[in-house]
Amino acid sequence: MLSMPPALIAVIGPIEPPLLAAWARHYRKLGIERFLIAFHFPEHVPDIRRHELQAAAREAGIIPAHTSTGPWHEHTNSELRDALRHRAGPGWHLLADADEFHQYPGPLHQVIAHAEKTGHSVVGGLMLDRVTASGRLTGWRPEGGLDHAYPLGGHLTHRLLNADPRKIVLARHDVTVASGNHRAPGHRPDPDRICAVHHFKWRDGVRQDIERRATHSADGTWQTASPARLAEARRLLAHLGEHGGGINTSDPRFAFRRVSLARMPANWHAEARAIVTAWRPYAYSGQD
């Protein structure tokens, strides 16, 4: 007998409405029936954009559980996420940001059944950063789709930003998940069953978002408990400045290659296992 599909938990910022629509379609195809989302809009977001995104959610059959405004402090996402998880109740929870499209090694119910059979309370994922063929930070056309607009996938998050590329993509309701869904203290995912988290962050407008993050993190307007958020923003902005405003897709460190949401990348399991088992937090110094 199949278990109930997990509830999808997401905190969503001011993305473009077509991305929200594509995200909802993607997870419905995976079997998700219950979406618990919260919107959070920083002060710079105009009312019309908020209304457009809320309308897009309703058109996708999703009624937001909560909408808030104000600074995007480091703890903001976690507090909203945990309130949604409490509301979702017992069972498994799927955790995905609005620019994260999960690709599992099998049907979702089988992935969960395998985790339960092997005594795992979480399922892990690894970010696969999706970019344009040229590395330019451009927009996309809904009729063409995300795969067409951002055909390359690679490891930008941890090999350029020195950020944590690991994700907890599924967790039982009683498992505490850390900020950013990067880990669950006391629980280790199966390193041989790592999900590909297609990360469609590197779109038109991301540079302005990161510049805003850097400014607000530096002046304390957006509170953060570590130097990571500001340092990661500065690394990305420096890279863009060195490469004409785009991402250097030819840099072998990033291992960019053509990938698709329709099939797992070649050799993904070995590649993902090597990264998630070897990754360690970046050691920040006074120069960062």
Side-chain angles (χ1 to χ4, degrees):
M1 180 176 177
L2 298 181
S3 59
M4 290 290 291
L8 191 157
I9 309 295
V11 179
I12 298 174
I15 61 171
E16 62 272 31
L19 182 63
L20 179 62
W23 179 83
R25 287 194 300 271
H26 175 79
Y27 285 102
R28 288 196 194 280
K29 286 179 65 176
L30 293 185
I32 296 299
E33 300 172 358
R34 189 181 180 200
F35 291 77
L36 283 94
I37 72 170
F39 285 122
H40 183 75
F41 300 112
E43 300 94 324
H44 70 275
V45 180
D47 288 344
I48 188 171
R49 191 171 182 189
R50 301 177 193 179
H51 297 156
E52 288 173 348
L53 195 51
Q54 290 165 334
R58 292 192 295 270
E59 290 174 9
I62 303 171
I63 304 301
H66 183 73
T67 298
S68 64
T69 60
W72 204 301
H73 301 308
E74 189 173 14
H75 57 77
T76 299
N77 190 291
S78 298
E79 291 174 355
L80 292 170
R81 178 205 63 196
D82 290 346
L84 294 172
R85 295 192 68 197
H86 179 75
R87 181 167 178 165
W92 284 80
H93 298 163
L94 188 154
L95 309 175
D97 293 343
D99 58 7
E100 296 175 352
F101 288 56
H102 295 177
Q103 188 178 44
Y104 291 93
L108 199 49
H109 69 273
Q110 291 182 7
V111 171
I112 292 173
H114 184 270
E116 292 179 336
K117 181 180 179 181
T118 56
H120 290 89
S121 298
V122 296
V123 174
L126 177 69
M127 284 189 180
L128 184 65
D129 294 292
R130 299 292 299 268
V131 302
T132 62
S134 66
R136 305 296 294 179
L137 304 177
T138 65
W140 61 290
R141 294 181 178 274
E143 59 271 21
L146 290 161
D147 266 344
H148 177 75
Y150 308 102
L152 302 184
H155 302 296
L156 189 73
T157 293
H158 66 301
R159 292 182 178 162
L160 173 64
L161 306 186
N162 292 333
D164 192 344
R166 305 168 302 168
K167 283 284 185 170
I168 298 298
V169 295
L170 291 162
R172 288 190 57 85
H173 71 277
D174 53 352
V175 172
T176 298
V177 178
S179 175
N181 302 334
H182 292 295
R183 61 190 183 89
H187 300 270
R188 289 185 178 273
D190 184 343
D192 294 313
R193 303 279 291 185
I194 298 297
C195 160
V197 179
H198 291 257
H199 190 211
F200 291 99
K201 178 175 182 174
W202 313 106
R203 313 181 316 281
D204 183 37
V206 71
R207 179 171 190 152
Q208 292 81 358
D209 288 343
I210 291 175
E211 288 173 342
R212 187 178 299 110
R213 175 182 295 185
T215 298
H216 291 325
S217 296
D219 67 17
T221 306
W222 291 3
Q223 298 169 9
T224 179
S226 77
R229 186 160 71 173
L230 177 57
E232 291 163 14
R234 286 174 171 169
R235 287 190 195 97
L236 190 279
L237 293 173
H239 180 86
L240 296 179
E242 293 167 2
H243 298 283
I247 293 165
N248 181 11
T249 58
S250 63
D251 190 324
R253 291 179 299 158
F254 307 147
F256 279 115
R257 71 279 201 188
R258 289 192 173 269
V259 296
S260 169
L261 288 168
R263 60 186 179 277
M264 296 290 286
N267 303 317
W268 175 255
H269 297 300
E271 178 181 7
R273 190 186 202 285
I275 292 173
V276 300
T277 56
W279 190 86
R280 296 294 183 272
Y282 180 75
Y284 286 93
S285 67
Q287 297 179 338
D288 289 295

